[in-house]
Amino acid sequence: MAARGVGLLTRLPLHSQRRSRVQRSISRHLCCPGTVAANVGSEEQPLGGAETGSEDKIPKKRFSEVQEERREQAQRTVLIRCPNNVNEKKFLKYLSQHGPINNHFFYESFGLHAVVEFCQKDSVDSLQNGTHTPKQRTDPVIPFKSRFLNLKLKNSSNQIPQQSYAQTNKQLPPSSKKLFELLNYAENIDDQLNTLLKAFQLTEENVRLRHLTCSLIEDIAAAYFPGCVIWPFGSSVNTFGKLGCDLDMFLDLDEIGKLDVHKNAGDFLMEFQMKTVPSERIATQKILSVIGECIDNFGPSCVGVQKILNARCPLLRFSHQASGFQCDLTVNNSIALKSSELLYIYGSLDSRVRALVFSVRCWARAHSLTSSIPGTWITNFSLTVMVIFFLQRRSPPILPTLDSLKSLADAEDRCILNGHNCTFVRDLYKIKPSGNTETLELLLKEFFEYFGNFAFNKNSINIRQGKEQNKPDSSPLYIQNPFETSLNISKNVSQSQLQKFVDLARDSAWILEQEDKSQPSLSSKQPWGLATLLLPPGAVSTPLSKKKKKPMNEKVKGLLASIKSSTTDSSKGTHGKRAISTQV
Ligand code: GTP
Ligand code: MG
């Protein structure tokens, strides 16, 4: 496997290296004593090693520890809309009147914003106490106080010339052009997969912004439900998030009861008066409805609120403009949080897992196999489970089955949710690393071969047992829900979408089979390796993209067999490249 870290870090543009130096010096100046200055910037150690794809040496924390720490960090943080010409030093000095700042960064989303994390929560209160409610506006405003603030310049000495504007941090993945450049410069296909991971994974800053957004929404929900918690789940926290992915969050009302102090002394027990409702579902709909109104009417920067209350899992969908996130809010969706924890564990166990999942997800997106709009196509969640299943099937396995993670669990790990057994070991150090040393290049090719030839018509995918099983119904694609085991997570997928996936998987296996094993000269502009797989449909000529005369399965098998047998054919490695259009 290629050495990690060869990709982006060594090629950081000069200005971002300079930014890191400036930021470090400012933070050192302002940092609170006794606090580890976890300064933002990819080279610093994040709170959760696995979360932002940091290297294997970083201790791997439990999912719940990472979430608690991130939540606490977000509570000490404010979001500030700033004028473009703000003087960074003066701005930080001004804020540090309220207490020491642990770190900060700037980014653009409908204007310049700063995320500022204080060392202590008291500083946020102090800042809010010194903040004015705007008056004399042309449009009337609702005087709602939050941790999303607006910075105004009182005099011109706080302004600076354009060339000295604060450096902003990017919150989106690289353009296709940039990505193809990065991939072309990689040393080999393994390096390409790791490069893609580094380019697309959530940055430390983006993770902070996601937790801060949840925290800001939590403040709104807490107006109705004091003590509630809003947790992020899904790809924001499961280690498989791509820059630009949505922000899934759920309102946890179970946390409220945990704060109650039960005074059992005496003959009485006091309870809160509650209103009863006919069902849990109606309770969920009512809660979401009222919070939806609140977010819509008072939530700064929350726009386009949609109440999708009749869905199987009722939700609120809205955009948080200041962070740029598309948000989905659900209630008491604790099984989904448990799924996120399970994926976090799988993503943290072996450095190849995330690299493979990211490449497969990007490949699926490039070929419109996935979409941000719900429909009959495969989802990223299903694709991730398919990669996990494939890695469980290797010899020796790269990932353990869910049943074996359950067998390693102790009493503290026991977890039953809505009657479903969601128990698995949560301490990553109790799981033995795999002895499998296969390269990413081989794994990617074999992933495509495996699913290009999978008997989807009769078998289901089951990560609990790590085995193919007979399908219990006629859904084209059956992937057993890991916890609610009678459900299929890919029930929505149509036969034609599955066929498209299979055809593309076979095409991609064929392309990789022909690839040179080494990188072409650096001067070559020809996409190669992984880049070839990400090209738009039609850009690569494969036998399979031409008119199909034979059934797909036989044809690919025949091609692969003929390629394997002609080992002395030196032209085979370049054949695929010659057929590629260089247009990206
Ligand atoms: P992105 O496409 O990057 O947003 O991936 P994601 O994993 O966040 O997927 P998505 O936003 O669609 O769903 C969020 C989370 O909900 C997933 O990570 C799963 O934990 C859960 N989830 C999504 N779809 C299903 C499903 O069909 N069944 C079950 N049980 N859980 C699901
Ligand atoms: Mg999501």
Side-chain angles (χ1 to χ4, degrees), residues 410-447:
D410 58 27
E412 277 190 3
D413 296 320
R414 196 178 140 74
C415 173
I416 310 287
L417 296 172
N418 307 336
H420 301 285
N421 194 332
C422 303
T423 306
F424 54 83
V425 63
R426 292 170 304 158
D427 181 351
L428 285 155
Y429 291 102
K430 289 189 184 160
I431 308 166
K432 207 168 144 242
S434 165
N436 181 308
T437 56
E438 288 169 314
T439 63
L440 280 169
E441 177 180 350
L442 180 82
L443 291 171
L444 185 64
K445 184 166 70 70
E446 302 246 323
F447 171 86

Side-chain angles (χ1 to χ4, degrees), residues 371-392:
S371 164
S372 53
I373 310 160
T376 59
W377 26 86
I378 203 159
T379 62
N380 278 329
F381 181 55
S382 294
L383 279 176
T384 308
V385 175
M386 287 169 90
V387 175
I388 291 170
F389 181 73
F390 164 74
L391 295 174
Q392 290 174 336

Side-chain angles (χ1 to χ4, degrees), residues 210 233-236 245-248 328 361:
R210 284 171 188 270
F233 71 99
S235 57
S236 297
C245 69
D246 69 353
L247 172 56
D248 303 293
D328 278 352
R361 281 186 172 202

Side-chain angles (χ1 to χ4, degrees), residues 511-525:
I511 291 168
L512 284 176
E513 186 69 30
Q514 298 180 85
E515 273 296 326
D516 262 347
K517 297 285 180 274
S518 60
Q519 180 193 6
S521 77
L522 284 183
S523 57
S524 165
K525 291 271 183 351

Side-chain angles (χ1 to χ4, degrees), residues 320-334:
H320 190 259
Q321 271 190 338
S323 61
F325 298 134
Q326 175 72 32
C327 304
D328 278 352
L329 175 66
T330 48
V331 176
N332 283 348
N333 198 357
S334 44

Side-chain angles (χ1 to χ4, degrees), residues 57 61 126 148 217 222 244 253 316 358 447 506 511 522 569:
K57 282 165 268 158
K61 294 186 179 176
S126 161
F148 180 25
I217 302 298
L253 297 173
L316 289 180
F358 270 70
F447 171 86
R506 290 172 181 179
I511 291 168
L522 284 183
D569 180 7

Side-chain angles (χ1 to χ4, degrees), residues 3-152:
R4 297 193 62 185
V6 183
L8 281 181
L9 280 182
T10 50
R11 295 192 199 100
L12 269 182
L14 267 181
H15 72 84
S16 51
Q17 293 179 15
R18 216 166 28 236
R19 179 182 68 85
S20 301
R21 273 199 296 275
V22 171
Q23 235 171 21
R24 257 199 301 276
S25 69
I26 293 174
S27 278
R28 210 175 289 133
H29 181 63
L30 295 165
C31 180
C32 34
T35 310
V36 179
N39 192 14
V40 286
S42 332
E43 79 271 44
E44 303 282 345
Q45 177 173 332
L47 279 176
E51 203 175 40
T52 54
S54 313
E55 302 307 317
D56 298 336
K57 282 165 268 158
I58 293 174
K60 285 168 179 156
K61 294 186 179 176
R62 283 177 185 225
F63 180 78
S64 54
E65 274 178 89
V66 177
Q67 299 316 306
E68 292 287 353
E69 286 178 16
R70 289 288 186 191
R71 184 168 125 77
E72 192 276 325
Q73 180 181 60
Q75 287 172 335
R76 288 183 277 110
T77 306
V78 292
L79 180 59
I80 305 178
R81 169 86 159 87
C82 301
N84 283 340
N85 52 357
V86 66
N87 182 324
E88 185 172 0
K89 268 193 176 165
K90 287 190 175 181
F91 169 65
L92 292 174
K93 195 164 168 227
Y94 168 74
L95 287 175
S96 57
Q97 299 171 69
H98 301 283
I101 293 166
N102 203 30
N103 67 52
H104 75 284
F105 64 92
F106 290 94
Y107 70 94
E108 295 269 356
S109 174
F110 296 93
L112 183 69
H113 291 80
V115 170
V116 180
E117 180 202 329
F118 286 98
C119 295
Q120 278 123 26
K121 200 167 173 298
D122 291 355
S123 308
V124 174
D125 300 335
S126 161
L127 173 61
Q128 279 179 314
N129 289 337
T131 299
H132 300 271
T133 308
K135 295 200 177 77
Q136 309 290 328
R137 292 241 176 163
T138 34
D139 298 324
V141 291
I142 298 169
F144 186 79
K145 293 186 178 179
S146 74
R147 279 182 288 137
F148 180 25
L149 312 169
N150 208 13
L151 182 80
K152 295 266 164 146

